[in-house]
Amino acid sequence: MSDQTALVLVVDDDPSILPLLEAVFEGEAVTLVGAASGVGALERLAAGLAPDLLVVDLMMPEMGGLELLGELKKRPDFGRVPVILFTAKKLTEDVVAGLEAGATDYVAKPFDLGELRARLRGALRMRGLILELERLREAALEEERLKVAVEAAGGIAHALTQPLTAALLKLESLLGRPGADDRLRGELEFVRRSLDRVAREVQRIQQVASYRTTPYPGGIEILDLEGE
């Protein structure tokens, strides 16, 4: 569900249902898409349709509401999409079976428009809350990943600082000794430049403040310092 528009898939073989729901949602940020059977609904979903709410009639040709719910249970991505059943009777074994199969609510035909509007809006509000909770959960996970990455980077930098400083001091001592030939001095200078580069990278690790990774051979992700 976007900030502006909710998408509702209406699965009903009665051609009057879609115009009725369009009237119910008139003036609201809701887009309605119809399917005349469970088979038609699955085809739309397979084509990439991602509804925020499914409205499903229990009795339809080809594939009824219960069969459709059975197919949807096989798709983990639909576990948090509300489903409202339309039924010709208020209390039937089929309604109970539908609710047990994962439907969120039901509305009996003929409709009381006030009840229908309230139940549909309630289902969309529930969908909005689910999406907001997922967003907050992902934000919390990202914050935790950042915390772990920063703490790990800080620990690594701290562990490297002492031996790196000792190596640089030792190198300076060797370079300061008289009598070293040019070849040896050149090799020591190369080592110093390399250690200076390591020291700069350690400083960058200490300053990591955001979490970003880059692919690494072997199917793993590593902390991306270049992207900081």
Side-chain angles (χ1 to χ4, degrees), residues 45-227:
L45 296 175
L49 189 72
D52 297 297
L53 170 64
L54 272 74
V55 178
V56 179
D57 189 28
L58 272 176
M59 304 299 296
M60 292 181 292
E62 293 188 82
M63 178 186 290
L66 287 179
E67 293 173 277
L68 176 58
L69 285 172
E71 291 298 317
L72 292 178
K73 285 182 71 173
K74 302 174 184 177
R75 303 173 59 121
D77 51 328
F78 277 87
R80 294 179 295 277
V81 177
V83 178
I84 290 185
L85 295 177
F86 282 170
T87 176
K89 296 181 181 180
K90 281 198 171 183
L91 291 175
T92 67
E93 291 182 0
D94 284 344
V95 171
V96 173
L99 294 174
E100 290 179 345
T104 308
D105 203 350
Y106 75 94
V107 183
K109 298 178 180 179
F111 301 121
D112 177 275
L113 288 183
E115 177 188 8
L116 176 62
R117 184 178 293 108
R119 290 182 184 272
L120 293 173
R121 286 176 174 171
L124 287 176
R125 282 196 299 272
M126 181 176 70
R127 174 63 173 169
L129 289 173
I130 289 171
L131 292 177
E132 178 63 14
L133 286 173
E134 289 179 347
R135 186 192 67 78
L136 292 173
R137 177 177 176 273
E138 182 57 33
L141 287 174
E142 185 63 23
E143 183 177 351
E144 183 62 25
R145 284 193 288 265
L146 171 60
K147 179 182 177 184
V148 170
V150 171
E151 289 178 350
I156 292 169
H158 178 74
L160 290 175
T161 297
Q162 185 175 357
L164 181 59
T165 301
L168 284 168
L169 289 173
K170 184 65 174 179
L171 185 59
E172 290 294 335
S173 174
L174 291 173
L175 284 169
R177 289 183 181 179
D181 60 45
D182 292 341
R183 182 175 174 274
L184 177 59
R185 184 172 295 277
E187 291 178 352
L188 291 175
E189 288 289 353
F190 174 80
V191 173
R192 179 166 65 178
R193 288 194 299 272
S194 297
L195 289 176
D196 284 340
R197 182 180 175 186
V198 173
R200 289 194 297 271
E201 293 301 323
V202 169
Q203 288 180 338
R204 293 180 65 190
I205 292 173
Q206 289 174 319
Q207 295 168 3
V208 168
S210 62
Y211 177 83
R212 186 181 302 177
T213 62
T214 188
Y216 192 75
I220 63 174
E221 299 282 328
I222 63 173
L223 190 65
D224 180 14
L225 296 178
E226 296 299 326

Side-chain angles (χ1 to χ4, degrees), residues 14-36:
D14 184 346
S16 69
I17 294 299
L18 197 57
L20 173 64
L21 294 184
E22 288 173 347
V24 167
F25 285 116
E26 185 176 5
E28 299 186 34
V30 175
T31 297
L32 298 172
V33 178

